[in-house]
Amino acid sequence: MGASGHLRDRFPGATLPAALDGVPYPLPGGGTGTDLYVQKDKFHDAFAADVPKSVTDLMAVTQRPLAASVFDEKTTKTAWKTIPSWDLVTTEDHAIAPDEQRLMAKRAHAHTIEVNSSHAVAISHPGTVTRLIERAARATSK
């Protein structure tokens, strides 16, 4: 199990893993990979609980899959070790536990803000996300 799985085990509380369905697909050269999709009936609560249901219903049917391998692959390069980082911790996140997010932000020495949001913070709090990106851009363009 990769680092993501170890952190997920240390910081329980995320409900998204139980809401995922795996769909196998053939890998080039042989073997099988797995794409993960959030179950449509669980999408709102597990991924975007602070977004109107009418919006999450559309998000659920148009979602792009996540490769299951991201939870097991080991990171080979870590940009946060050599460049400044910014992080937005979503305190009502059911995909990545807030304490797990805080640990990753602290480890990266990130300039961090917190917002009372689900994992879909770019949808529910676009202004907050935009301001953080603008702050990072100003700080690194000197």
Side-chain angles (χ1 to χ4, degrees):
M1 180 178 299
S4 297
H6 288 298
L7 287 177
R8 188 177 57 242
D9 293 342
R10 283 180 53 194
F11 299 99
T15 60
L16 182 64
L20 296 173
D21 279 336
V23 177
Y25 65 90
L27 292 171
T32 303
T34 303
D35 278 337
L36 299 175
Y37 293 86
V38 182
Q39 297 167 19
K40 292 175 189 147
D41 62 330
K42 296 180 180 174
F43 191 95
H44 179 266
D45 293 341
F47 191 78
D50 59 341
V51 175
K53 187 104 169 57
S54 60
V55 174
T56 60
D57 287 348
L58 179 60
M59 291 170 70
V61 298
T62 59
Q63 67 181 293
R64 300 281 311 246
L66 172 68
S69 61
V70 303
F71 295 113
D72 296 320
E73 291 178 352
K74 186 148 178 83
T75 302
T76 58
K77 296 185 184 211
T78 50
W80 54 263
K81 288 185 177 183
T82 59
I83 63 172
S85 299
W86 279 257
D87 199 337
L88 194 154
V89 172
T90 47
T91 62
E92 297 301 317
D93 199 322
H94 297 158
I96 303 172
D99 284 341
E100 181 179 347
Q101 295 176 57
R102 289 181 188 104
L103 174 75
M104 290 185 290
K106 182 178 179 180
R107 180 177 60 188
H109 305 287
H111 305 273
T112 305
I113 64 169
E114 294 196 8
V115 63
N116 187 20
S117 177
S118 70
H119 197 71
V121 65
I123 306 298
S124 61
H125 295 88
T128 303
V129 173
T130 300
R131 286 187 294 280
L132 183 62
I133 293 168
E134 290 171 340
R135 186 181 321 159
R138 281 191 303 275
T140 58
S141 63
K142 296 178 183 175

